[in-house]
């Protein structure tokens, strides 16, 4: 038998029309009017033969009236021959589908969680100290410079930690420690929400979670890290007793001042073992856990004592301290803070490590715990060969017999990236960092004065009065003098900066505006408007006097700068006026190798000085090194400036700063007190071109040896003079004054009415050059000297010559006036 109803057409003309269920009543065909008979020739509304099984059925579906015609639309009301589902049915179906999907996802999540939990391995607590060690490398990423977090750690069993100490930590960090499952769900949700909204990342973790984070994971505030922390904390809580977890936590936490673990902390802050800690002493240490540097009782006594009281109050609430004991509690005396040398190199590299840790905290927002005990791998920008060259240059020039009281600093920056490639702040790596010392820069700031003038249209060939011993309107009764009494009434600015004429540049600063010069220096160095830190200068205006005012003396270097600032500023000049922030960190990774910071390719910058201005400054500075007898090997082009600052006839600070396109280096020399004069082993005053210049020259020659020579600009781009120039000196001889001869004497040659010692008919006061120059090298013979002590003029460094230059009692040569 065929499977279809033989009384119905196999293929209906108006589309597939299925037979409705037998229980339904037959509907009428088309509405009133003449309707077209259904297929098969049956009359409209006629009775349909019963289907197999004896049931009758209608065609199901109502024909729609269209234009008076009962023609069916060709599309049934329901595609499957059923009535459309109600909204309630559709919603119920969607809910069932959603529930099925969610159930499937939940099942998959449960399987995933189970697999991850089963495969999660809890590291041994013995590996914690290794994981916490932060390693600092040179720029090659291989040579170690220092290891932090590797010392001052003494693990003790929980029984040797006083009960008040245990309870103080619990009160501060996790009161429900002994009853919680090792995790805080509210803390995890809060952390997730803060990640989404950018809110605070602090708080909410249990002691178990903190231990896991500090001991086994990185400090990144990310979902993946929180996920790892969750599983490790749960498994740790299941595999170890609460006492074991608390013991390990107390032995690994960082308390500041280089102390890792509560035993070291008790000794560092109170000079006692952890077993003897009182509740009051323990509360001091408990406060430090959250932020050791912010709550050190010596640096922030008010904040430390406020939180100390909250910890004691929490102990009272938990019944761990009586009300009477709380009322009688007095903040305990704490040992004074000392400079920790733990993990810090004792030599010059110690200053580099300090700058690296400071940069991690201030620029990249790592806290003290992360820096000192976070297991970071830090690759610095410091080149090992360049650093060795810096140390060698200082030691070779200032070694015996030079006075031990002299202090030196050297900072070298790559202008193309801002990377600090060498840094010397002193021989004692845990003592004063002289590269950060604020000292008067003297004439080494004159390039910034020149740059300010150039921006105002005053070219480097413009002439200004550089006569010695001048008074200025803003300095009545206090004349400005030049080093060695040098004088030039009408020098070009190029000549004046080469000869370092103070009167020229004091007057130029007055002319262009001292505040404008200050703006130029701030732009080039990146200095803020006020000094930070906690020393004497903290909060004071940068490049100003004690009243916050900047005078024309900025043009001769009266206001303090650091060697670091001068290296940064001259690097901006070397980079055609593009400022790139000097930095010490190239890359930071965690213990697993994940990159956290990467500055190795950073070369962006900001154009803070016009390129044509910097071009002309460089042109003007190209002859300074040669003039100061500090030319580089092979005649390599370099722009440089000396600087000397003194009080009366004594000098307190001496500088040599210079650059090529690939390196900018600042060298400073002075004493611990600016009031003390600096002299060499022979008792002579030290000038910038002297010992500092020798250090600079040796370093630059060493680091540039074997590198391609780089050209500096030769021609100025800014011409003319929009300022208060002076006329060029005349070279024409005035008419001679005839003197009649005595009648009985032969006639004598006429003589000019002006000084003319060489008899060339030119006034010696205006003749160029206006100084003795017998070898015609353009250098004042009175100041010319070799780049080393050479009192007997034999061309050999007196410091290395043996036997001595002169016999006892033999008078030495006359020493010419030194250069600035």
């Amino acid at each position: 038998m065929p499977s279809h109803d033989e009384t119905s057409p196999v293929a209906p003309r108006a589309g597939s029309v299925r037979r409705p269920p037998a229980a339904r009543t037959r509907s009428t065909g088309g509405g009133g009017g003449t309707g077209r008979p259904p297929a098969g020739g049956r009359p409209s509304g006629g009775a349909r033969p019963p289907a197999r099984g004896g049931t009758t059925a209608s065609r199901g579906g109502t024909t729609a009236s269209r234009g008076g015609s009962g023609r069916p639309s060709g599309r049934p009301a329901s595609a499957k021959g059923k009535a459309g589902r109600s909204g309630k049915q559709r919603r119920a179906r969607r809910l069932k589908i959603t529930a099925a999907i969610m159930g499937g996802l939940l099942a998959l999540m449960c399987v995933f969680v189970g697999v991850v939990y089963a495969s999660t391995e809890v590291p041994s607590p013995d590996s914690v100290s290794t994981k916490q060690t932060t390693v600092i490398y040179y720029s090659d990423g291989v040579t170690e410079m220092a290891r932090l977090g590797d010392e001052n750690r003494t693990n003790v069993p929980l029984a040797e930690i006083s009960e008040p100490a245990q309870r103080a930590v619990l009160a501060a960090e996790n009161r429900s420690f002994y009853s919680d499952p090792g995790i805080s769900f509210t803390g995890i949700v809060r952390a997730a929400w803060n990640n989404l909204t950018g809110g605070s990342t602090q708080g909410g973790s249990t002691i178990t979670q903190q231990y896991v984070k500090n001991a086994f994971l990185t400090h990144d505030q990310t979902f993946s890290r929180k996920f790892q922390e969750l599983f490790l904390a749960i498994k740790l809580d299941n595999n170890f007793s609460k006492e074991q977890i608390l013991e390990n936590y107390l032995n690994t936490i960082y308390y500041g001042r280089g102390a890792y673990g509560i035993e070291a902390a008790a000794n560092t802050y109170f000079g006692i073992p952890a077993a003897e800690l009182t509740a009051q002493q323990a509360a001091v240490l408990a406060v430090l856990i959250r932020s050791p540097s912010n709550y050190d009782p010596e640096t922030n006594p008010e904040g430390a004592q406020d939180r100390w009281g909250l910890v004691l109050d929490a102990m009272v609430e938990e019944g761990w301290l009586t009300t009477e004991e709380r009322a009688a509690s007095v903040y305990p005396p704490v040992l004074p803070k000392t400079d920790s040398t733990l993990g810090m190199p004792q030599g010059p590299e110690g200053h580099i490590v300090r700058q690296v840790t400071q940069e991690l905290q201030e620029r990249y927002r790592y806290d003290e715990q992360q820096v000192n005990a976070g297991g970071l791998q830090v690759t610095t920008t410091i080149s090992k060969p360049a650093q060795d060259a810096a140390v060698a240059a200082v030691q070779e020039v200032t070694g015996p017999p030079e006075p031990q009281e002299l202090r030196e600093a050297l900072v070298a920056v790559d202008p193309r990236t801002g990377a600090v490639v060498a840094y010397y702040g002193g021989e004692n790596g845990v003592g004063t960092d002289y590269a950060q010392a604020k000292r008067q820069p003297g004439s080494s700031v004159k390039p910034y004065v020149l740059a300010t003038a150039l921006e105002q249209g005053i070219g480097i060939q413009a002439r200004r009065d550089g006569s010695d011993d001048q008074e200025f309107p803003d300095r009545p009764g206090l004349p400005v003098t030049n080093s060695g009494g040098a004088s030039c009434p009408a020098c070009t600015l190029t000549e004046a900066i080469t000869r370092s004429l103070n009167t020229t540049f004091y007057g130029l600063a007055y002319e262009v505006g001292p505040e404008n010069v200050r703006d130029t220096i701030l732009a080039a160095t990146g200095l803020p408007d006020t000094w930070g830190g906690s020393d004497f200068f903290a909060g004071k205006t940068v490049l100003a006097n004690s009243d916050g005012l900047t005078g024309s003396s900025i043009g001769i270097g009266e206001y303090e700068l650091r060697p670091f600032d001068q290296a940064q500023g001259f690097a901006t000049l070397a980079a055609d006026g593009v400022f790139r922030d000097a930095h010490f960190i190239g890359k930071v990774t965690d213990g697993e190798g994940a990159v956290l910071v990467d500055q190795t390719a950073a070369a962006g910058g900001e154009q803070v000085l016009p390129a044509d201005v910097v071009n002309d400054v460089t042109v003007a500075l190209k002859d300074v090194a040669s003039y100061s007898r500090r030319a580089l090997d092979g005649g390599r082009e370099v722009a440089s400036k000396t600087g000397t600052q003194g009080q009366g006839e004594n000098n307190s600070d001496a500088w040599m700063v210079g650059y090529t396109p690939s390196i900018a280096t600042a060298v400073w020399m002075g004493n611990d007190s600016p009031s003390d004069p600096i002299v060499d082993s022979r008792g002579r005053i030290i000038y910038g071109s002297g010992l500092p210049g020798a250090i600079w020259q040796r370093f630059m020659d060493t680091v540039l040896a074997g590198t391609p020579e780089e050209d500096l600009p030769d021609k100025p781009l800014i011409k003319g003079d929009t300022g208060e120039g002076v006329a060029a000196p005349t070279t024409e001889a005035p008419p001679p004054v005839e003197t009649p001869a005595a009648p009985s004497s032969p006639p004598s040659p006429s003589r000019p009415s002006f000084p003319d010692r060489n008899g060339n008919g030119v006034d010696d006061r205006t003749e160029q050059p206006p100084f003795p120059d017998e070898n015609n090298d353009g250098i004042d013979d009175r100041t010319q000297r070799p780049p080393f002590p050479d009192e007997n003029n034999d061309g050999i460094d007196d410091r290395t010559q043996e036997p001595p230059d002169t016999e006892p009692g033999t008078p030495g040569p006359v020493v010419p006036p030194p250069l600035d």
Side-chain angles (χ1 to χ4, degrees):
M1 295 293 292
S3 60
H4 59 272
D5 186 348
E6 291 180 300
T7 63
S8 301
V10 176
R13 294 170 65 183
S16 175
V17 179
R18 285 186 151 186
R19 187 178 301 129
R24 294 186 181 179
T25 58
R26 179 170 53 88
S27 62
T28 59
T34 306
R36 182 172 180 172
R42 293 190 304 273
S44 176
R48 180 174 182 164
R52 292 174 187 264
T55 58
T56 61
S58 69
R59 283 190 179 271
T62 306
T63 60
S65 172
R66 184 177 64 181
S69 170
R71 180 173 182 155
S73 65
R75 183 179 61 185
S78 175
K80 295 185 180 296
K82 298 181 181 179
R85 293 186 179 87
S86 66
K88 184 176 181 181
Q89 289 174 320
R90 288 193 297 270
R91 285 194 298 272
R93 188 179 184 206
R94 284 197 295 267
L95 286 174
K96 289 179 182 179
I97 295 172
T98 302
I101 293 173
M102 295 299 293
L105 291 176
L106 183 60
L108 289 174
M109 178 63 72
C110 290
V111 172
F112 173 74
V113 168
V115 171
V116 172
Y117 181 82
S119 60
T120 299
E121 295 183 3
V122 178
S124 168
D126 295 335
S127 65
V128 171
S129 61
T130 301
K131 293 284 286 186
Q132 286 185 303
T133 301
T134 291
V135 184
I136 298 178
Y137 299 93
Y138 284 94
S139 60
D140 59 10
V142 176
T143 308
E144 284 191 18
M145 183 184 299
R147 299 177 74 87
L148 306 179
D150 214 17
E151 300 180 36
N152 198 19
R153 182 196 304 275
T154 304
N155 292 346
V156 293
L158 193 63
E160 294 183 18
I161 301 173
S162 71
E163 188 172 346
Q166 299 177 40
R167 290 175 171 176
V169 172
L170 294 178
E173 295 298 315
N174 187 190
R175 300 190 208 178
S176 62
F177 170 72
Y178 279 102
S179 59
D180 65 37
I183 60 173
S184 169
F185 290 103
T186 57
I188 293 172
V189 171
R190 187 183 305 114
W193 174 253
N194 287 337
N195 268 284
L196 290 173
T197 61
S200 172
T201 59
Q202 183 180 17
S205 294
T206 66
I207 278 179
T208 307
Q209 287 175 269
Q210 290 184 49
Y211 173 62
V212 166
K213 178 181 67 175
N214 293 332
F216 308 123
L217 300 175
T218 69
H219 292 258
D220 292 339
Q221 297 291 337
T222 60
F223 289 112
S224 60
R225 205 272 294 158
K226 279 289 182 184
F227 200 66
Q228 286 180 290
E229 179 185 306
L230 174 68
F231 282 101
L232 272 173
I234 293 174
K235 200 155 191 178
L236 190 71
D237 196 72
N238 289 337
N239 291 359
F240 293 89
S241 68
K242 290 289 187 179
E243 289 75 13
Q244 287 176 301
I245 295 173
L246 181 60
E247 176 184 308
N248 291 333
Y249 173 79
L250 292 174
N251 280 314
T252 57
I253 203 71
Y254 181 65
Y255 290 87
R257 299 192 183 182
Y260 297 85
I262 196 167
E263 178 74 6
N267 185 268
T268 298
Y269 288 90
F270 301 108
I272 60 175
E276 298 178 11
L277 287 169
T278 66
Q280 291 73 24
Q281 292 171 325
V284 173
L285 301 183
V287 167
L288 295 168
I289 293 175
R290 189 61 57 88
S291 181
S293 57
N294 288 338
Y295 293 113
D296 189 292
E298 184 171 308
T299 57
N300 183 14
E302 183 177 348
Q305 292 184 31
D306 286 346
R307 287 190 62 83
W308 173 81
L310 295 176
V311 173
L312 294 182
D313 292 341
M315 293 180 71
V316 172
E317 292 176 12
E318 295 298 320
W320 297 333
L321 193 69
T322 66
T323 305
E324 294 74 20
E325 289 172 330
R326 171 66 182 94
S329 295
V330 177
Y331 196 85
V334 176
L335 294 176
K337 186 177 182 180
T338 59
D339 289 331
S340 173
T341 62
L342 302 174
M344 193 73 66
Q346 302 295 297
E349 288 71 30
H351 298 302
I352 299 173
V353 174
R354 197 176 301 278
Q355 291 301 313
V356 169
T357 57
Q358 182 175 324
E359 190 170 311
L360 283 169
Q361 293 175 325
E362 295 181 358
R363 183 174 297 187
Y364 299 110
R365 318 309 300 173
Y366 284 85
D367 59 33
E368 189 177 355
Q369 168 85 17
Q370 293 169 311
V371 171
N372 291 285
L376 303 176
Q377 310 291 298
V378 183
T379 299
T380 70
T381 59
I382 301 296
S383 163
K384 185 64 165 62
Q387 182 65 19
D388 290 344
V391 175
V394 172
Q395 292 177 345
E396 290 169 4
V397 172
T398 63
E402 298 302 336
Q404 295 183 355
E405 294 78 17
L406 292 176
R407 302 290 180 259
E408 307 84 24
L410 183 153
V411 182
V413 175
D414 184 343
R416 301 163 298 189
T417 62
V420 179
V421 297
Y423 188 88
Y424 181 94
E427 195 67 28
N428 182 4
V430 295
T432 301
D433 183 354
Y434 294 99
Q436 298 294 326
K438 302 175 183 70
R439 302 297 287 258
Q440 293 175 318
S443 297
S444 66
V445 299
K446 290 174 181 175
Y448 306 121
V449 185
L450 183 58
T452 308
L454 285 161
E455 284 198 79
Q456 297 185 15
I458 302 173
I460 63 175
Q461 294 305 313
R463 295 181 181 273
R464 295 293 185 272
D465 185 2
S467 300
D468 190 28
D469 201 27
Q470 290 189 54
E471 288 193 20
F472 294 89
D474 63 341
R475 190 183 170 104
L478 296 172
V480 178
T481 60
N482 293 326
S483 178
S487 184
C488 182
C491 272
T492 67
L493 295 182
T494 299
E495 294 169 336
I497 203 166
T498 302
R499 299 178 61 189
S500 200
L501 300 177
N502 293 332
T503 52
T504 299
F505 282 89
Y506 187 99
L508 190 60
Y510 178 80
E511 178 182 343
V512 300
E515 287 291 343
N516 293 326
V517 176
R518 178 178 183 268
D519 290 342
T520 299
I521 299 176
L522 294 185
T525 61
L527 281 167
D529 189 61
T530 57
W531 291 109
S534 57
D535 60 6
F536 169 80
F537 293 93
K540 298 182 182 297
T541 303
V542 174
L543 296 169
N545 61 21
S546 57
D547 296 324
L549 303 176
T550 301
S552 302
S553 55
I554 192 173
I556 55 176
E558 179 178 320
Y559 307 123
E560 289 78 4
L561 288 172
R562 301 169 299 178
F564 179 84
D565 301 324
Q566 282 293 69
Q568 171 78 86
F570 275 58
T572 300
L573 297 178
D576 299 323
V578 176
F579 173 84
R580 296 184 176 96
D581 207 358
H583 58 278
F584 291 83
I585 295 175
K587 181 184 290 187
V588 180
T589 62
D590 62 19
E592 305 300 323
V595 177
L596 307 176
V597 173
D598 191 352
Q599 288 288 324
T600 54
E606 179 184 358
Q607 189 80 44
V608 296
L609 298 177
D612 57 346
V613 166
V614 176
N615 174 92
D616 289 16
V617 170
T618 301
V619 172
L621 295 178
K622 286 177 63 176
D623 292 333
V624 173
S626 296
Y627 182 81
S628 302
R629 306 290 290 179
R630 296 300 172 195
L632 300 185
D633 284 347
R636 184 187 291 267
E637 292 187 333
V638 62
S640 61
K641 186 68 194 81
T642 56
T644 306
Q645 187 69 25
Q647 299 180 3
E649 296 182 356
N650 296 323
N651 292 340
S652 58
D653 302 272
W655 303 70
M656 182 79 179
V657 193
Y659 59 88
T660 68
S662 59
I663 191 167
T665 303
V667 173
W668 165 87
M669 181 175 289
N671 276 336
D672 285 323
S673 173
S675 61
D676 295 335
I678 51 175
V679 295
D680 64 12
S681 59
R682 300 176 186 269
R684 298 172 302 186
I685 294 175
I686 296 174
Y687 292 84
S689 60
L691 297 182
I695 294 171
W696 177 87
Q697 185 182 45
R698 290 188 186 218
F699 172 78
M700 293 288 280
D701 281 339
T702 301
V703 297
L704 292 171
T707 64
E709 292 193 10
E710 301 161 300
D711 292 331
L712 294 177
D714 296 317
K715 297 180 180 179
L717 302 177
I718 299 172
K719 304 293 179 64
D721 184 359
T722 62
E724 304 169 1
V726 296
T730 179
T731 58
E732 295 181 2
V737 177
E738 296 291 341
T739 303
S744 60
S745 303
S748 61
S750 62
R751 300 182 61 186
S753 60
F754 47 81
D756 184 22
R757 288 173 294 180
N758 57 2
N760 65 350
V762 180
D763 190 334
D764 291 342
R765 295 170 299 180
T766 60
E767 188 173 16
Q768 295 293 330
F771 46 78
D773 184 22
E774 293 186 2
N775 57 357
N776 295 316
D777 62 355
I779 301 175
D780 190 334
D781 294 340
R782 297 169 299 176
T783 60
Q784 190 171 27
R785 58 194 244 183
F788 47 76
D790 184 24
E791 292 192 357
N792 60 355
N793 296 316
D794 63 354
I796 301 176
D797 191 332
D798 294 343
R799 295 170 299 180
T800 60
Q801 188 172 27
E802 292 185 6
D805 310 314
T806 58
E807 296 297 328
T810 303
V814 177
V815 179
L819 294 172
D820 179 23

